[in-house]
Amino acid sequence: MQTLLVQYKLFAKRILLLFAIYSLLRLFFFISNHSYFSTLSVADFLLAVLAGLRFDLVAIVISNILFIALSLLPFRFFFSKWYQAVLATLYYLINTVAILINAIDCAYYKFILKRSTADLLSLIALGNDTANNIGSMAATFWYVPLILIICIIIMIMVYKRIRVPYKLPHESVTIKFITQRIIVFALSGGIIVIAFRGGLQYKPLGILAAAQYASPQNAPLVLNSAFTIIKTAYKDELVTYNYFDESQCETYFNALHHYQSSQPFQNKNVVKIGRAHV
């Protein structure tokens, strides 16, 4: 049971580190866009930070689900150096992407006035604009790479300070030993499912739930960009229904009109817009 407690303490510290980073990113987001939250009081800001932990939990669990599953496996090889190296690499890669998304929104929010959704990924992948302009964008919005670097350094430095004891007391593999680990693993799985959904409510936690904790203007402070992108990914697009083919539609209404005139065509581009007075 001692080794299991050590394992879960390590896991808890690593997850708490992510909560701290997400809260730091929320602070950076507020500082970068403070003019859009001019009516926000100190109490409202603290409420947004506290309420945001719930949305952070969902984003952390969903994005780190593989890391969580590997961290909770009830086997002694968890404490081996090679396994810890795998976990660290996975942790850094996944959460660097999450940090990058939140850092980008510190600047991108000014243009869309909302947290980024999955459309951002499509925009980045569209053409070569992003690759061609990434240098100028980084120079213009210099604080975005700065935020990214600060958070990544904090993540790596603190993660490394969470020491893993490679020398553990010997525990005999008995029926009690196996039973304890199975029960704890099953309970942990249930808690992770609840966290994945964002609570025990009927529907999983969604973006609109942020309105329960803040006004529509301040709701972006409650949310985080990783959460909004995850929640809008793989959404069903509107289906286009074609009840008639184009030739059949033209028999009912043809939008293209040809006007017969004896006057020669004059290449003028003048439009007169009048206003009706009632």
Side-chain angles (χ1 to χ4, degrees):
M1 193 65 178
Q2 291 180 351
T3 56
L4 197 61
L5 288 174
V6 173
Q7 180 178 347
Y8 273 72
K9 284 181 180 180
L10 287 170
F11 169 71
K13 289 178 181 178
R14 290 166 177 174
I15 295 299
L16 287 174
L17 170 59
L18 294 179
F19 275 107
I21 291 173
Y22 272 66
S23 296
L24 182 61
L25 285 166
R26 183 172 285 106
L27 178 60
F28 282 137
F29 176 81
F30 172 71
I31 294 172
S32 303
N33 302 284
H34 63 90
S35 60
Y36 297 96
F37 306 103
S38 56
T39 61
L40 188 73
S41 65
V42 176
D44 290 336
F45 177 75
L46 293 176
L47 177 61
V49 172
L50 292 175
L53 294 176
R54 185 183 179 193
F55 295 86
D56 295 347
L57 173 63
V58 177
I60 289 169
V61 170
I62 293 178
S63 60
N64 288 274
I65 192 64
L66 179 58
F67 171 81
I68 292 171
L70 294 177
S71 296
L72 297 181
L73 288 178
F75 302 113
R76 287 184 65 88
F77 61 70
F78 170 85
F79 296 99
S80 62
K81 291 185 178 180
W82 69 266
Y83 196 77
Q84 288 301 314
V86 170
L87 289 179
T89 302
L90 194 60
Y91 188 95
Y92 296 153
L93 290 176
I94 292 171
N95 293 295
T96 294
V97 174
I99 292 170
L100 174 62
I101 291 170
N102 281 280
I104 289 174
D105 249 10
C106 290
Y108 193 48
Y109 180 79
K110 297 177 178 64
F111 299 95
I112 60 175
L113 298 180
K114 66 173 185 177
R115 286 283 189 170
S116 293
T117 58
D119 296 338
L120 174 64
L121 304 180
S122 302
L123 182 64
I124 293 175
L126 185 64
N128 298 320
D129 288 347
T130 302
N132 294 335
N133 298 309
I134 190 168
S136 60
M137 288 189 294
T140 303
F141 305 104
W142 54 269
Y143 51 90
V144 172
L146 179 62
I147 291 170
L148 176 65
I149 292 170
I150 289 173
C151 291
I152 289 177
I153 290 174
I154 291 173
M155 176 180 66
I156 295 175
M157 289 182 63
V158 176
Y159 187 96
K160 287 184 176 180
R161 290 180 66 88
I162 303 173
R163 303 295 182 184
V164 180
Y166 293 107
K167 293 183 178 180
L168 297 167
H170 176 73
E171 290 183 282
S172 301
V173 180
T174 61
I175 297 297
K176 181 181 179 181
F177 175 87
I178 296 173
T179 304
Q180 286 175 342
R181 288 178 171 259
I182 292 174
I183 292 174
V184 172
F185 185 73
L187 290 174
S188 302
I191 295 172
I192 295 302
V193 170
I194 295 172
F196 194 97
R197 299 183 73 258
L200 294 171
Q201 68 280 350
Y202 178 68
K203 291 183 177 181
L205 188 67
I207 295 174
L208 296 179
Q212 299 174 8
Y213 306 101
S215 64
Q217 180 184 355
N218 299 329
L221 278 176
V222 178
L223 298 165
N224 67 76
S225 305
F227 176 87
T228 53
I229 287 180
I230 288 171
K231 286 296 180 177
T232 53
Y234 307 109
K235 290 290 185 182
D236 294 333
E237 297 182 358
L238 294 176
V239 179
T240 302
Y241 293 98
N242 297 312
Y243 296 103
F244 305 97
D245 57 36
E246 188 173 348
S247 60
Q248 190 176 4
C249 288
E250 291 178 355
T251 61
Y252 294 99
F253 177 78
N254 188 357
L256 184 63
H257 297 275
H258 298 277
Y259 295 96
Q260 300 297 329
S261 176
S262 58
Q263 298 293 327
F265 177 76
Q266 297 181 7
N267 190 17
K268 294 181 179 180
N269 188 18
V270 179
V271 178
K272 182 179 180 181
I273 302 176
R275 181 178 179 183
H277 297 275
V278 179

